[in-house]
C-alpha cells in the first residue's frame, strides 16, 4: 500500500513509535500482517469526520491513508467469514482492502453514518465478486438473486446440520428444508434445488491433458460432441439415404424379373412377425431348379447391383 515501506527489523520499534500508522516490522507472512493491522490506531468520530472532509474537499491522500489503515482490521474480521469456500485467506483480505479503498473514496461524512457501516458493504461486495469468480471455473451465480442464494445456502445448510431435531447426517437437503429455505429467502423452491446442485457438483475438464505416459486421457468431450450436424456427417447421411432409396430402386430395375424377385425375397422383404422372405429351398421349389442355382442367380444379381450403385453414387 502506498506510504507503507519495509525497514530493517532492528528499527521497527523506533519507527513504530514515531509513526503509529506504520505496518512495520516487515510483513513477511499473513500472520505478521494481521498482527500489525490489529495494532493500528482506531479513529474517534471527530478524527474520522476530519479526515473524511479533508479527503472530500482537498483530495488529501494522507487523510485517505489514515481512514483506510484504521479499518484494515474490519477487512480481516470480515474475511474470516468466507474461509469455508477454500480460497486463500490472503486473497480474500486483498480483495476486501480494494473494497475498503473504494468505500473511503465514496464516503460522505455528512450522511450521518460511521465509515465502518458504510465500508462493510463495499468490502463484502469485493469478496463476493472474488469468490464467485474463483470458487469454480464455471460460474455458479450470475444474477442478483442467485448471488444471494449462493451465499445464504451454505450457512443455512450448516444450520440444518447443527439442529438436533433436523439432523439427518446428509449433504443433500430434505423436501422440508428446501421449502423452509425458499420461504426464508423469498425464492422459488426450484431455484434452491438448482443452486444446491450447482454447488454440490464439480468442474470437469472437457478435454483433459495427456497423461504422463503420453496417452490421451478420456474426457467428456469424447462423448458430448454432437456429430449429427457436422457437415461431412450430414453429406454422408444424405448419400446413404439416397443409395438406400433411389439407388436400390435403380439397381433393381436393371435386373430381370427372376433375379429381382430372388433379391427382394432374400434381402429386402420383412414380414410382420420380423422374419425374412423365402429361403433358397423355397425359391428353388417355386422355380423348379436346385437351391445352388438360386444361389448362383443371387450372386450374379448382387454383383450387377453393386455396379449400378457405384455408378449411381
Amino acid at each position: 500500500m502506498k506510504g507503507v515501506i519495509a525497514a530493517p527489523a532492528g528499527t521497527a520499534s523506533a519507527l513504530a513509535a514515531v509513526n503509529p500508522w506504520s505496518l512495520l516490522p516487515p510483513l513477511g507472512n499473513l500472520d505478521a500482517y494481521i498482527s500489525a493491522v490489529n495494532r493500528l490506531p482506531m479513529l474517534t468520530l471527530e478524527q474520522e469526520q476530519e479526515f473524511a472532509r479533508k479527503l472530500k474537499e482537498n483530495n488529501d491522500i494522507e487523510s485517505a491513508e489514515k481512514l483506510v489503515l484504521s479499518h484494515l482490521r474490519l477487512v480481516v474480521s470480515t474475511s474470516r467469514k468466507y474461509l469455508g469456500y477454500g480460497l486463500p485467506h490472503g486473497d480474500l483480505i486483498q480483495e476486501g482492502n480494494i473494497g475498503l479503498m473504494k468505500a473511503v473514496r465514496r464516503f460522505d461524512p455528512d450522511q450521518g453514518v460511521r465509515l465502518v457501516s458504510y465500508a462493510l458493504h463495499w468490502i463484502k461486495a469485493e469478496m463476493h465478486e472474488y469468490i464467485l469468480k474463483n470458487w469454480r471455473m464455471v460460474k455458479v451465480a450470475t444474477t442478483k438473486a442467485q448471488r444471494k442464494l449462493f451465499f445464504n445456502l451454505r450457512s443455512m445448510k450448516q444450520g440444518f446440520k447443527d439442529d438436533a431435531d433436523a439432523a439427518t447426517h446428509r449433504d443433500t437437503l430434505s423436501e422440508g428444508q428446501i421449502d423452509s429455505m425458499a420461504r426464508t429467502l423469498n425464492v422459488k423452491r426450484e431455484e434452491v434445488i438448482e443452486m444446491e446442485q450447482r454447488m454440490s457438483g464439480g468442474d470437469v475438464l472437457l478435454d483433459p491433458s495427456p497423461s504422463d505416459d503420453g496417452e490421451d486421457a478420456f474426457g467428456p468431450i469424447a462423448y458430448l460432441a454432437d456429430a449429427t450436424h457436422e457437415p461431412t456427417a450430414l453429406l454422408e447421411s444424405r448419400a446413404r439415404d439416397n443409395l438406400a432409396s433411389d439407388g436400390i430402386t435403380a439397381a433393381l430395375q436393371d435386373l430381370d424379373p427372376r433375379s429381382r424377385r430372388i433379391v427382394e425375397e432374400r434381402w429386402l422383404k420383412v414380414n410382420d412377425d420380423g422374419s425374412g422372405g423365402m429361403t433358397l429351398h423355397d425359391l428353388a421349389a417355386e422355380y423348379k431348379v436346385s437351391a445352388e442355382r438360386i444361389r448362383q442367380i443371387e450372386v450374379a444379381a448382387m454383383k450387377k447391383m453393386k455396379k449400378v450403385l457405384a455408378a449411381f453414387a
Side-chain angles (χ1 to χ4, degrees), residues 125-154:
E126 291 296 323
M127 290 185 183
H128 287 184
E129 187 69 22
Y130 168 74
I131 292 171
L132 290 173
K133 285 183 178 179
N134 296 276
W135 189 62
R136 290 269 174 82
M137 291 177 64
V138 180
K139 287 188 176 181
V140 295
T142 54
T143 66
K144 184 178 180 180
Q146 287 176 343
R147 289 172 178 238
K148 176 182 177 182
L149 187 55
F150 175 84
F151 287 104
N152 282 282
L153 185 61
R154 288 172 61 94

Side-chain angles (χ1 to χ4, degrees), residues 6-206:
T11 62
S13 58
L15 287 175
V18 174
N19 181 12
W21 297 103
S22 173
L23 285 179
L24 299 174
L27 308 180
N29 56 61
L30 184 60
D31 291 336
Y33 171 83
I34 294 175
S35 177
V37 162
N38 289 331
R39 291 196 301 269
L40 290 171
M42 297 182 65
L43 299 178
T44 64
L45 175 60
E46 292 75 16
Q47 290 174 323
E48 182 179 295
Q49 294 279 318
E50 177 187 353
F51 293 143
R53 286 192 171 88
K54 285 183 178 180
L55 174 61
K56 181 180 179 182
E57 297 171 1
N58 304 320
N59 196 30
D60 184 51
I61 300 302
E62 290 187 4
S63 296
E65 181 179 348
K66 290 182 174 59
L67 290 170
V68 170
L69 291 173
S70 64
H71 289 81
L72 289 179
R73 67 185 69 203
L74 174 64
V75 175
V76 173
S77 175
T78 305
S79 67
R80 291 194 176 101
K81 300 177 182 178
Y82 299 100
L83 293 178
Y85 293 96
L87 298 172
H89 191 190
D91 289 352
L92 288 169
I93 293 175
Q94 177 175 275
E95 296 299 321
N97 287 345
I98 294 174
L100 173 60
M101 288 185 280
K102 289 182 178 180
V104 168
R105 172 58 65 183
R106 293 168 173 81
F107 180 60
D108 186 353
D110 297 322
Q111 291 296 321
V113 297
R114 294 296 300 266
L115 176 58
V116 62
S117 301
Y118 181 78
L120 190 59
H121 165 78
W122 290 92
I123 294 170
K124 287 184 175 181
E126 291 296 323
M127 290 185 183
H128 287 184
E129 187 69 22
Y130 168 74
I131 292 171
L132 290 173
K133 285 183 178 179
N134 296 276
W135 189 62
R136 290 269 174 82
M137 291 177 64
V138 180
K139 287 188 176 181
V140 295
T142 54
T143 66
K144 184 178 180 180
Q146 287 176 343
R147 289 172 178 238
K148 176 182 177 182
L149 187 55
F150 175 84
F151 287 104
N152 282 282
L153 185 61
R154 288 172 61 94
S155 59
M156 294 189 72
K157 285 183 67 175
Q158 187 61 44
F160 287 136
K161 290 181 181 180
D162 295 340
D163 188 350
D165 296 332
T168 59
H169 302 289
R170 298 181 305 172
D171 292 331
T172 57
L173 295 172
S174 66
E175 293 297 321
Q177 291 169 345
I178 292 174
D179 293 334
S180 174
M181 188 174 295
R183 288 193 301 269
T184 302
L185 300 178
N186 194 26
V187 296
K188 298 179 180 179
R189 70 187 311 274
E190 291 79 9
E191 294 176 353
V192 176
I193 296 173
E194 180 183 1
M195 182 56 66
E196 185 192 15
Q197 291 174 344
R198 289 188 181 189
M199 295 180 66
S200 60
D203 295 328
V204 178
L205 290 176
L206 289 178

Side-chain angles (χ1 to χ4, degrees), residues 274-298:
S275 61
M278 300 172 68
T279 65
L280 289 174
H281 293 284
D282 293 335
L283 291 167
E286 179 179 331
Y287 288 107
K288 300 185 185 318
V289 294
S290 65
E292 177 60 22
R293 179 57 183 156
I294 295 297
R295 189 191 67 79
Q296 292 173 353
I297 296 173
E298 177 187 351

